[in-house]
Amino acid sequence: MALSNESDENLSRRAIQSKEDAMEAWQKWLSWGENDKVGAALIDKIASFGLGDPEIIEFLEGRTTSGIPMIRLAASDALTRLAAQGDVLAIAASQRCQKHHRL
């Protein structure tokens, strides 16, 4: 049973202080979230902990093929931002994504 958007709003207001908090919030959103904007905001929050973190880069790269357009775009944008900051893992992931989307 999906919870209401009010629950999505509560999730989006939750204090996220670490990568672990952000990933836990993502899992909760996957379970019952309905608002794609909240999911995209969580992607951005996860990415804020991503510079030099291979786990987060892999997570973001995986979301670039999501069936939810807003999630796909948020993940792609996050990788691009990390790549622009010189993260070599994000640069490689971003290039793979661009190549994949051109096919």
Side-chain angles (χ1 to χ4, degrees):
M1 174 176 138
L3 299 177
S4 70
N5 284 342
E6 180 179 44
S7 294
D8 277 341
E9 291 171 18
N10 289 338
L11 182 60
S12 68
R13 284 190 222 121
R14 182 176 173 195
I16 297 176
Q17 304 283 330
S18 68
K19 166 184 155 178
E20 292 76 17
D21 290 346
M23 296 303 279
E24 180 182 334
W26 174 258
Q27 288 303 317
K28 288 183 179 182
W29 181 81
L30 282 179
S31 295
W32 47 258
E34 295 179 340
N35 187 331
D36 293 349
K37 288 181 184 179
V38 172
L42 288 171
I43 292 281
D44 286 341
K45 190 62 175 180
I46 291 166
S48 73
F49 301 106
L51 196 61
D53 187 314
E55 182 182 6
I56 290 180
I57 301 303
E58 183 180 345
F59 168 84
L60 293 171
E61 185 174 3
R63 303 301 76 76
T64 64
T65 58
S66 171
I68 303 169
M70 195 172 286
I71 299 301
R72 194 169 50 241
L73 180 60
S76 179
D77 288 349
L79 278 176
T80 300
R81 284 192 308 274
L82 290 170
Q85 293 177 48
D87 186 313
V88 294
L89 297 173
I91 291 168
S94 185
Q95 289 172 344
R96 284 190 299 272
C97 292
Q98 289 173 7
K99 182 179 178 181
H100 173 78
H101 293 297
R102 275 189 242 140
L103 297 176

